[in-house]
Amino acid sequence: VTENAAPDLVNNDEHPLGHGRMLRKEDPRFIRGLGKYCDDVQLRGMLHLAILRSPMAHARIVNIDTSAAEAHPKVKAVVTGAALADKGLAWMPTLSNDVQAVLATDKVRFQGQEVAFVVAEDRYAARDALELIDVDYEPLEAVADVRTALAPDAPVIRDDLEGKENNHCFDWETGDAAATQAVFDRADVVVKQEMVYPRVHPAPMETCGCVADFDRVDGGLTLWSTSQAPHAHRTLYALVAGLPEHKIRVISPDIGGGFGNKVPIYPGYVCSIVGSMLTGKPVKWMEDRSENLISTGFARDYVMQGEIAATKDGKILAIRTDVLADHGAFNGTAAPVKYPAGFFGVFTGSYDLEAAYCHMTAVYTNKAPGGVAYACSFRITEAVYLVERLVDCLAYELDVDPADLRLNNFIKPEQFPYATKTGWVYDSGNYEPAMRQSMELVGYADLRREQADKRTRGELMGIGCSFFTEAVGAGPRKDMDILGLGMADGCELRVHPTGKAVVRLSVQSQGQGHETTFAQIVAEEIGIPPGDIEVVHGDTDNTPFGLGTYGSRSTPVSGAAAALVARKVRDKAKIIASGMLEVSVADLDWDKGSFRVKGDPTSSVTIQDIAMRAHGAGDLPEGLEGGLEAQICYNPSNLTYPFGAYICVVDIDPGTGAVKVRRFVAVDDCGTRINPMIIEGQVHGGLTDGVGMALMEMISFDPDGNCLSSSFMDYLIPTALEVPHWETGFTVTPSPHHPIGAKGVGESATVGSPPAVVNAVIDALRPYGVRHADMPLTPSRVWEAMQGTLKPS
Ligand code: CDP
């Protein structure tokens, strides 16, 4: 890690958030293998559930014979879609107001779809019994290609929807089509490029699963589940199952990575609840890796026609795109209701444009549902890839340096808050210093010289830039909700008599270090050491309501809530201090951890003294209740807009097309930095994700809809061998509306890195006249691009 020239505000004791790089409170359990994950939950009499999945992508179910499975000595229940339909539970709502089959009733619509489940005494028996279920399928033609899904003769996938006669899912547009056309008409240069962001999978280390425990006596349901949003899930269960919320407790224990994959409610959760209700026993369901890859929320899968308009001297004027979005068999996209394409509207990037327009058509195909925000804030990864590839295509056409082209077109610092042509208001930004820092760190000018020299010898070296602006922290209630639930977050802080504290969050960590950073936020506001602040999350009975963790929303929304609830407690502490010191509130100064009488440094009380007084003997100022605690619900006024400048250096073997990422410099700006060590960890992880997507990851299908990427043998994810030593830097441009100026960072690197890698590869291939090649840039694709035989994907 390169520490850069900018002052590290957080390591500076003068800086308010001086706890800086404290080690993660959660790591003692994680690094010793003592985390408690869903699969660690063991309950007395617990049964095990396994799901029978469709081997076909599109087929009518003619008959299901479960008699042999039911006769298995260890089997307690076998349930089909027809049985669920009798109870009105065969279908459930998706996060995008569509419906999805819990178990197929009429037909199967993707390979891996849930068809029946078995509950048995152990996991092996449950699996064995699946083999005994006999399903008679009548195969139907499958729609596996998004480009032919709307052909007039394409089979209709969603014939369950009344009146549905084609595979159209939705249309969406943003920006001004006519104004954009006018700008394109007068532009000197227009560059068009089709680009495909392939279907990829978040592939968290822990797959999805749950333990459902329904108590037949009191009617209560406890569900341990791999959920990034326990409160939202509880409300949806309440709505679907008709149970009151106070009878449902959702516990998300330690989670082995989520990356958006654990936002949706999967049929497996519902089946487990039904299984527990049927048997009166706790029921555990844990997916295996293939189940996770073939049936749970995928990401991306956009075919984008991009166009960029500019003057001949390199002023970018407008961007336009037409997108074909593959949503799979059910629209399971996780996005706020008003944003069916998520936050794709930020495809205008970090540039000051005159006009922009996007039209999108989403279609159903015979593939797994999803469209989850895989380490990105709702489709921003696709948007950033589009704009950053287009800028490089323009640089190619104009034959100018891509870094200079970016520097010449950035939104200027004085233009913030900046309203984009698609209706987003970027809160703050200062792009040029970040870009320049990345160029300095990587040694840009020297690298270009090295490249020129290598080209004379036929060696293939590429340098790729990308500059991104993200929109994170969904979101303001007036605009954003998921299935009618506003995207605000609660936070509760309770200071105990001895001055130790507990802060309860509505967000749910999946490894991001919230137990550390949220303690740091509260510590900074209230002066209690972070080690004395316990962070509670992931249990609906013990935390306030809120919409959970995805889209890097924890720090922008819940982090703000944590700061504000601490300030509320501090305000009360001040009144108590004024009584203890017998002065008016106006005569007190706050000195991180104690209140002092102005002008009399010897008269002070610590927050610990105040906590004891709040709970102990002695009078409190008139009208003040005892105790030292508060609760708030924070509704953000805007999103936060972190940004970053990334530069990737690659070498390509001209004999094989294999790409080696030699260097990668990432300069991120996430406003005020709470814990730089954790930020760097988030960035390292995201960059690794990005290299994976750019070079090796793709969920692919054959023409019959068979998933060809159902294991880590076929769906390649990067390891330490494929990634370089990461070099990071940062700038700090606080968010003006966040109480501590922080912006999210968890997903910045996943968003910003794929275009940097692809731009580097294309740059390396310039001697071959290659302007674009679609991800993943596997050796064979690079080789074909070099030979001029690469077909559009
Ligand atoms: O929602 P999620 O936790 O995935 O993303 P995030 O809010 O960007 O935070 C990821 C991790 O980085 C958390 O532990 C944050 O507290 C930390 N972080 C930080 O230290 N400083 C920031 N400005 C932003 C995030």
Side-chain angles (χ1 to χ4, degrees):
V1 173
T2 308
E3 285 303 339
N4 62 35
D8 187 342
L9 295 180
V10 180
N11 276 340
N12 178 349
D13 283 343
E14 299 299 309
H15 186 266
L17 296 177
H19 302 291
R21 292 174 182 268
M22 73 177 268
L23 295 180
R24 301 196 336 161
K25 292 167 76 155
E26 40 276 87
D27 282 347
R29 71 174 190 277
F30 288 152
I31 60 179
R32 285 184 289 170
L34 297 176
K36 291 213 168 35
Y37 299 86
C38 252
D39 205 19
D40 294 319
V41 175
Q42 298 292 341
L43 301 179
R44 194 133 64 111
M46 191 170 74
L47 302 173
H48 296 261
L49 183 142
I51 294 174
L52 182 72
R53 295 178 182 277
S54 167
M56 293 181 200
H58 202 190
R60 199 160 296 289
I61 297 177
V62 179
N63 185 44
I64 305 184
D65 181 354
T66 57
S67 52
E70 280 161 29
H72 189 291
K74 289 188 171 179
V75 166
K76 301 293 177 192
V78 183
V79 174
T80 61
L84 286 189
D86 286 346
K87 306 239 175 295
L89 289 173
W91 293 83
M92 63 178 189
T94 70
L95 295 178
S96 287
N97 273 322
D98 194 356
V99 289
Q100 174 176 356
V102 176
L103 294 177
T105 48
D106 49 348
K107 61 180 192 177
V108 289
R109 293 175 169 84
F110 66 93
Q111 188 191 47
Q113 186 178 342
E114 299 78 0
V115 173
F117 71 82
V118 169
V119 179
E121 285 172 20
D122 59 56
R123 187 174 164 92
Y124 310 101
R127 286 276 170 143
D128 286 349
L130 293 184
E131 307 280 325
L132 302 173
I133 300 174
D134 192 12
V135 186
D136 191 1
Y137 294 103
E138 178 194 315
L140 301 169
E141 190 193 333
V143 181
D145 183 351
V146 63
R147 295 172 208 256
T148 56
L150 291 178
D153 57 345
V156 179
I157 299 166
R158 294 301 304 278
D159 46 359
D160 58 295
L161 300 174
E162 214 174 307
K164 193 90 192 135
E165 284 172 358
N166 56 34
N167 294 316
H168 181 260
C169 185
F170 65 82
D171 269 288
W172 174 82
E173 63 174 355
T174 187
D176 186 330
T180 307
Q181 182 62 51
V183 176
F184 269 81
D185 286 345
R186 67 175 157 80
D188 303 329
V189 187
V190 171
V191 179
K192 295 185 186 186
Q193 182 62 57
E194 175 181 296
M195 51 190 93
V196 176
Y197 208 129
R199 176 175 281 231
V200 293
H201 198 281
M205 197 185 310
E206 179 201 28
T207 56
C208 298
C210 68
V211 178
D213 188 12
F214 181 70
D215 186 327
R216 282 180 172 174
V217 177
D218 70 7
L221 168 71
T222 306
L223 187 76
W224 287 262
S225 73
T226 49
S227 167
Q228 294 179 225
H231 285 279
H233 279 196
R234 182 181 65 164
T235 301
L236 291 180
Y237 293 131
L239 292 172
V240 171
L243 290 173
E245 267 145 318
H246 65 268
K247 286 288 183 194
I248 306 176
R249 180 178 182 189
V250 176
I251 302 172
S252 285
D254 287 329
I255 294 191
F259 312 107
N261 185 240
K262 291 169 181 167
V263 174
I265 292 184
Y266 293 118
Y269 301 145
V270 180
C271 292
S272 305
I273 295 169
V274 172
S276 182
M277 285 175 156
L278 270 177
T279 59
K281 296 277 170 53
V283 169
K284 180 185 279 186
W285 163 69
M286 284 307 298
E287 285 172 344
D288 65 23
R289 179 60 58 191
S290 294
E291 291 182 288
N292 182 255
L293 284 171
I294 64 172
S295 72
T296 64
F298 72 90
R300 329 295 187 229
D301 223 346
Y302 272 15
V303 178
M304 304 181 279
Q305 310 295 337
E307 285 180 89
I308 187 166
T311 62
K312 58 181 176 314
D313 50 1
K315 167 82 186 96
I316 304 174
L317 301 173
I319 295 180
R320 180 164 63 185
T321 181
D322 199 54
V323 180
L324 195 51
D326 187 339
H327 278 240
F330 307 102
N331 186 10
T333 299
V337 171
K338 276 198 211 164
Y339 301 86
F343 298 169
F344 188 78
V346 301
F347 68 88
T348 52
S350 313
Y351 310 105
D352 187 20
L353 305 182
E354 290 180 16
Y357 177 68
C358 167
H359 174 260
M360 180 178 293
T361 301
V363 299
Y364 292 115
T365 59
N366 287 117
K367 301 178 186 171
V372 295
Y374 164 22
C376 94
S377 196
F378 310 113
R379 304 288 191 181
I380 285 183
T381 312
E382 293 90 319
V384 167
Y385 182 71
L386 174 83
V387 55
E388 289 306 292
R389 278 296 302 127
L390 280 177
V391 170
D392 257 46
C393 290
L394 180 64
Y396 182 100
E397 288 301 318
L398 295 174
D399 199 18
V400 296
D401 184 281
D404 286 343
L405 185 60
R406 287 175 170 82
L407 281 164
N408 292 336
N409 283 284
F410 282 149
I411 301 163
K412 303 271 179 304
E414 60 277 12
Q415 290 177 280
F416 290 91
Y418 178 84
T420 73
K421 292 290 182 278
T422 47
W424 303 81
V425 180
Y426 294 180
D427 58 347
S428 64
N430 190 3
Y431 296 161
E432 186 176 336
M435 188 72 205
R436 295 223 180 267
Q437 190 186 136
S438 68
M439 293 168 76
E440 213 167 285
L441 281 174
V442 84
Y444 192 77
D446 287 345
L447 286 169
R448 285 285 175 213
R449 276 190 285 276
E450 181 191 339
Q451 182 186 46
D453 182 44
K454 287 202 156 137
R455 278 190 181 156
T456 62
R457 298 195 299 271
E459 292 175 37
L460 300 180
M461 166 189 170
I463 306 157
C465 304
S466 93
F467 196 99
F468 66 92
T469 300
E470 254 216 298
V472 303
R477 298 172 75 121
K478 63 179 172 30
D479 297 323
M480 294 179 195
D481 67 273
I482 290 195
L483 287 184
L485 300 174
M487 300 190 80
D489 270 284
C491 190
E492 183 197 299
L493 176 62
R494 190 173 294 180
V495 183
H496 299 307
T498 58
K500 315 287 187 228
V502 57
V503 58
R504 297 172 193 279
L505 314 176
S506 55
V507 290
Q508 162 65 40
S509 174
Q510 306 108 49
Q512 300 94 318
H514 292 179
E515 289 166 41
T516 311
T517 46
F518 281 78
Q520 289 180 270
I521 294 172
V522 172
E524 173 54 31
E525 297 294 336
I526 203 165
I528 294 173
D532 285 348
I533 301 170
E534 180 76 4
V535 176
V536 176
H537 61 107
D539 179 347
T540 54
D541 268 11
N542 287 307
T543 55
F545 185 85
L547 272 230
T549 291
Y550 38 86
S552 292
R553 65 185 298 281
S554 301
T555 304
V557 188
S558 215
L564 292 180
V565 80
R567 287 179 194 174
K568 204 167 169 185
V569 167
R570 194 174 71 198
D571 288 346
K572 181 171 180 183
K574 192 172 189 180
I575 301 172
I576 298 172
S578 77
M580 292 169 78
L581 295 167
E582 297 181 338
V583 293
S584 83
V585 165
D587 289 331
L588 290 175
D589 276 337
W590 172 244
D591 184 15
K592 199 163 157 189
S594 56
F595 283 104
R596 292 182 190 285
V597 176
K598 281 183 179 152
D600 178 7
T602 57
S603 284
S604 69
V605 283
T606 65
I607 188 76
Q608 289 79 9
D609 300 332
I610 298 167
M612 186 54 86
R613 174 59 73 94
H615 294 89
D619 275 346
L620 292 174
E622 210 177 314
L624 203 69
E625 284 178 10
L628 195 54
E629 57 196 60
Q631 176 160 359
I632 68 157
C633 181
Y634 178 76
N635 174 30
S637 58
N638 189 5
L639 303 169
T640 67
Y641 292 83
F643 56 90
Y646 290 0
I647 300 184
C648 176
V649 184
V650 300
D651 296 299
I652 299 180
D653 182 334
T656 63
V659 177
K660 180 168 173 47
V661 180
R662 188 205 306 176
R663 288 184 65 196
F664 201 109
V665 164
V667 173
D668 276 278
D669 190 318
C670 57
T672 304
R673 292 152 56 91
I674 299 157
N675 187 320
M677 180 196 72
I678 288 181
I679 291 173
E680 283 157 10
Q682 296 286 298
V683 171
H684 292 182
L687 295 176
T688 308
D689 264 352
V691 168
M693 285 182 278
L695 299 183
M696 59 192 83
E697 295 183 32
M698 175 160 73
I699 300 280
S700 53
F701 296 84
D702 74 7
D704 295 325
N706 293 306
C707 180
L708 305 177
S709 317
S710 59
S711 82
F712 282 158
M713 293 295 285
D714 305 305
Y715 187 73
L716 302 183
I717 55 172
T719 69
L721 292 180
E722 285 85 21
V723 298
H725 173 82
W726 305 116
E727 300 167 72
T728 58
F730 67 93
T731 57
V732 176
T733 311
S735 166
H737 63 86
H738 188 283
I740 64 168
K743 302 179 178 186
V745 76
E747 305 172 328
S748 293
T750 320
V751 168
S753 54
V757 180
V758 174
N759 287 345
V761 173
I762 302 302
D763 184 53
L765 298 180
R766 191 172 179 115
Y768 289 85
V770 177
R771 198 183 74 182
H772 180 76
D774 282 326
M775 298 185 286
L777 293 170
T778 56
S780 65
R781 279 199 181 178
V782 172
W783 177 257
E784 283 177 50
M786 288 162 66
Q787 310 311 312
T789 56
L790 184 64
K791 297 195 184 66
S793 46

